[in-house]
Amino acid sequence: MSTQEVSTKQERIAENAKRLPDVSFSALAHHIDVKWLFEAYNQTRKNAAPGSDGMTSEEYALNLGENLQRLLDRAKSGKYRAPAVKRVHIPKGKGKETRPLGLPTFEDKILQRAVKMALEPLYEQEFYDCSYGFRPGRSQHMAITKMRNELMKMNGGWIIDIDIKKYFDTIDHQKLREIISKRVCDGVITRLIGKWLKAGILEDGELYYSKRGTPQGGVLSPLLSNIYLHEVLDVWFEDTAKPRLKGKAFMVRFADDVIMGFQNKKDALRVYEVLPKRFAKYNLTLHPEKTRLIRFCRPNGADKVKPETFDFLGFTHYWGKSRKGHYIIKHKTGKGRLARTIHNFNIWLKKNRHMEVKEQHAILCRKLQGHYAYYGITFNYDMLYRVWEAVKFLWKKWLSRRSRKSYLNWDKFECLLERYPLTKPRVVHSIYAANL
């Protein structure tokens, strides 16, 4: 089956979902055959770390056709057993705080992606425009665009910065299954989802089970988390809360990162007070310190209270003056993200200081380009330059420590930079070109 054939079937699922908004679909799994699984295999990353069974993508590909057929037979007959998810912890920043990451087996990723390929076109007809995370054709920069445009239209206002405490680890399995059953009653699909939710977690050689949460790192987890928050928050805010408010309001959500904006302070207070009850209904908890009500009104000469700032998707958003002297919303790399980026460069250079300079240079340039690709937005050039300067300083520092006999002074290092120049900062996403 070609990619075009898969797309055609997905379009058919989407059309039926749009035409029948109140129907629970019972015939999604029939789309999944060996050719469908082969397309899922093609879309699965081949260089990721192996899961609990230790099998790599290269080993699985040796008998690909037979492996996919056996996988299909087990999935359709109900004999498929979801393997335990290997859990590792990755650092979140300079401190000791870490983020748990699940590593499913390669075969499990293929099957999860196949199910995702069947569910995604259906739920894309359900999801609202306020949701941007892990959806096809949507990105963090589009979410920032939406948020900025809405706030500029309202001349600022009041912001609720929502932080859900350990969201991915606390999704209620039973309630998630109830939500999914409203649109999907296909026995093969629901049975597989149930098995993935019940799959054990393997950590430090110990296997344990949880009745809550979806493992971060799973192929299907982002879609399941979106389905859950769509019901918990998006539907409630757009269909129940907004119609009862007196002023303008909006919400922008990227996965579990959520910003709500209000023109009217009383509206913001009403929603702020009821939010914990709404989340508690679905066994979710708002972080009491990180969930904040923020005054973000456009400054004026008579206003003695300086508007607050807030962080969203790695950027700090604040009011600043344009070249013409008008107050506009600007963005800069968040303090924590900036420190984390520089720290990561330092760690990499320290570990690889004996690598060939030419190879170091190539990797550093790729890393800088990746940083600019995300953080290179209008008004953020100074922060990009700070990263560039920091990397230049750190590169000299660790090159100087390659040997006790040779010390690399700045004159010598400047000569080296002429031969191996670091990629300079540049704005990739312009508000003038893309209306960010």
Side-chain angles (χ1 to χ4, degrees):
M1 179 181 294
S2 67
T3 301
Q4 182 59 45
E5 288 178 287
V6 171
S7 298
T8 301
K9 287 193 172 186
Q10 288 177 318
E11 288 173 5
R12 195 175 306 142
I13 294 172
E15 290 170 2
N16 290 334
K18 191 173 184 179
R19 182 171 54 87
L20 304 168
D22 300 319
V23 171
S24 182
F25 286 80
S26 60
L28 290 174
H30 81 276
H31 293 294
I32 302 175
D33 55 17
V34 172
K35 293 180 179 179
W36 185 282
L37 286 178
F38 184 75
E39 180 62 26
Y41 163 82
N42 286 335
Q43 295 183 24
T44 301
R45 279 182 58 197
K46 310 298 188 297
N47 59 349
S52 57
D53 64 353
M55 180 172 285
T56 64
S57 59
E58 291 83 0
E59 293 170 332
Y60 194 84
L62 292 177
N63 295 297
L64 183 59
E66 294 179 10
N67 287 335
L68 293 180
Q69 184 62 60
R70 285 196 294 265
L71 176 61
L72 178 67
D73 293 341
R74 283 180 286 144
K76 292 288 184 78
S77 66
K79 295 180 180 180
Y80 182 79
R81 296 183 64 183
V85 177
K86 183 180 177 181
R87 173 174 282 181
V88 296
H89 291 266
I90 57 176
K92 293 180 70 174
K94 294 178 67 175
K96 296 182 178 180
E97 190 176 2
T98 61
R99 183 190 304 278
L101 181 67
L103 299 175
T105 65
F106 184 73
E107 183 176 67
D108 202 47
K109 290 179 184 177
I110 295 173
L111 188 56
Q112 285 194 37
R113 187 166 298 280
V115 171
K116 179 176 179 285
M117 287 161 53
L119 290 178
E120 192 169 66
L122 189 158
Y123 278 101
E124 276 300 305
Q125 313 313 308
E126 296 281 300
F127 293 155
Y128 289 174
D129 286 341
C130 61
S131 169
Y132 288 85
F134 307 115
R135 294 181 59 188
R138 293 187 163 224
S139 67
Q140 291 98 324
H141 295 102
M142 292 175 68
I144 294 171
T145 299
K146 177 67 174 179
M147 181 201 69
R148 183 182 188 275
N149 289 345
E150 292 294 335
L151 283 171
M152 289 294 290
K153 288 178 188 176
M154 298 192 311
N155 289 321
W158 295 83
I159 297 289
I160 299 178
D161 183 1
I162 296 176
D163 188 283
I164 307 171
K165 197 172 183 180
K166 296 182 178 179
Y167 171 62
F168 288 94
D169 294 331
T170 56
I171 294 175
D172 187 289
H173 291 175
Q174 180 58 37
K175 291 189 178 295
L176 175 59
R177 283 192 287 263
E178 291 173 2
I179 292 169
I180 290 174
S181 68
K182 295 179 181 180
R183 288 299 266 159
V184 180
C185 61
D186 185 303
V188 173
I189 300 293
T190 56
R191 185 167 58 240
L192 285 171
I193 291 174
K195 289 181 178 182
W196 284 318
L197 293 176
K198 293 178 182 178
I201 297 173
L202 184 64
E203 185 172 2
D204 297 328
E206 295 187 9
L207 181 65
Y208 65 94
Y209 298 87
S210 175
K211 294 182 179 180
R212 306 176 76 185
T214 61
Q216 296 184 56
V219 175
L220 195 59
S221 293
L223 178 58
L224 295 180
S225 67
N226 261 343
I227 292 170
Y228 201 68
L229 271 187
H230 171 74
E231 180 73 20
V232 175
L233 191 58
D234 302 1
V235 173
W236 171 78
F237 182 77
E238 296 291 341
D239 298 349
T240 302
K242 271 180 70 174
R244 300 180 182 180
L245 303 179
K246 295 182 179 179
K248 295 179 181 178
F250 72 91
M251 182 179 75
V252 175
R253 180 174 69 81
F254 192 95
D256 61 331
D257 290 324
V258 188
I259 291 293
M260 291 179 176
F262 303 86
Q263 190 177 39
N264 188 304
K265 182 181 179 180
K266 290 184 178 179
D267 288 341
L269 286 169
R270 286 178 63 191
V271 173
Y272 185 70
E273 290 173 359
V274 77
L275 273 175
K277 298 177 183 177
R278 177 64 185 178
F279 278 88
K281 183 178 178 181
Y282 291 86
N283 295 323
L284 297 175
T285 306
L286 294 180
H287 198 293
E289 297 175 359
K290 295 181 180 179
T291 298
R292 303 184 300 150
L293 178 61
I294 302 163
R295 182 182 180 276
F296 196 70
C297 302
R298 186 193 294 268
N300 59 66
D303 195 350
K304 297 181 180 180
V305 181
K306 186 178 179 180
E308 298 179 68
T309 65
F310 65 95
D311 287 356
F312 182 57
L313 298 179
F315 294 94
T316 297
H317 307 276
Y318 64 100
W319 286 101
K321 285 190 175 181
S322 68
R323 292 178 181 177
K324 295 183 179 180
H326 305 303
Y327 276 104
I328 58 175
I329 297 171
K330 294 186 175 183
H331 327 275
K332 62 182 178 181
T333 307
K335 185 177 179 181
R337 293 291 186 95
L338 180 67
R340 186 194 308 176
T341 298
I342 294 173
H343 174 72
N344 289 340
F345 270 109
N346 185 53
I347 294 297
W348 187 87
L349 284 165
K350 180 180 179 181
K351 289 182 177 179
N352 298 279
R353 60 185 180 274
H354 294 298
M355 184 186 291
E356 290 289 333
V357 172
K358 182 178 181 180
E359 192 175 353
Q360 282 188 33
H361 171 257
I363 296 174
L364 285 174
C365 286
R366 286 200 298 269
K367 287 178 176 290
L368 285 170
Q369 288 168 355
H371 181 77
Y372 305 152
Y374 185 77
Y375 291 100
I377 66 174
T378 307
F379 312 124
N380 197 38
Y381 184 85
D382 288 348
M383 287 296 187
L384 301 181
Y385 189 79
R386 283 179 62 177
V387 170
W388 182 78
E389 283 281 1
V391 171
K392 186 169 69 170
F393 173 82
L394 291 169
W395 197 19
K396 176 192 175 298
K397 170 186 171 181
W398 291 111
L399 285 177
S400 297
R401 299 187 183 186
R402 285 159 67 101
S403 171
R404 294 182 180 179
K405 296 180 180 179
S406 61
Y407 174 73
L408 186 66
N409 60 33
W410 277 103
D411 289 336
K412 290 182 179 179
F413 184 64
E414 290 294 341
C415 291
L416 183 144
L417 284 178
E418 289 181 7
R419 185 176 180 184
Y420 299 107
L422 293 172
T423 305
K424 295 221 176 147
R426 68 187 186 95
V427 172
V428 179
H429 308 280
S430 169
I431 65 168
Y432 305 109
N435 194 27
L436 183 64

